[in-house]
Amino acid sequence: MPLTATSSQKNLSQVLTQAINTKSPQVIYGENEPVAVILDYTSYNVFLSLMDELEEKGRYLDAFRESKREKGISLAQLKKKYCLK
């Protein structure tokens, strides 16, 4: 049975304990649609790190594609333009 917003409110302590102990996201549903997720803090931080990496790789890819169009832009210029490390 899906975890509803109402049942998660009534059993918040239990829902949090489940998320923390199992390292498994607890999906909360409203009107039979997923509306929220409860994660343990460690998993949340991993998620944020992965998002940062993906965004950075996306910026590199955009910069690389742009450099091919512009022909001749240096890596230093790309890093500066996209605030990359």
Side-chain angles (χ1 to χ4, degrees):
M1 185 167 119
L3 181 60
T4 65
T6 302
S7 67
S8 63
Q9 284 177 323
K10 290 179 183 175
N11 303 305
L12 182 59
S13 178
Q14 187 177 13
V15 172
L16 291 172
T17 299
Q18 176 97 9
I20 293 166
N21 290 341
T22 64
K23 305 285 189 228
S24 176
Q26 302 300 301
V27 180
I28 299 172
Y29 290 82
E31 298 182 19
N32 296 320
E33 295 289 327
V35 294
V37 175
I38 296 177
L39 290 174
D40 66 284
Y41 195 68
T42 302
S43 297
Y44 172 72
N45 280 324
V46 168
F47 174 77
L48 288 180
S49 293
L50 291 171
M51 288 293 296
D52 286 344
E53 284 181 38
L54 286 172
E55 287 174 2
E56 187 169 330
K57 287 181 181 185
R59 288 192 305 268
Y60 270 118
L61 183 56
D62 287 346
F64 177 77
R65 288 177 178 154
E66 185 174 318
S67 73
K68 291 295 185 186
R69 285 191 303 271
E70 293 180 6
K71 298 203 192 258
I73 190 168
S74 71
L75 181 58
Q77 290 170 319
L78 290 173
K79 285 182 177 181
K80 184 177 179 181
K81 181 174 183 176
Y82 291 98
C83 302
L84 302 172
K85 298 174 186 174

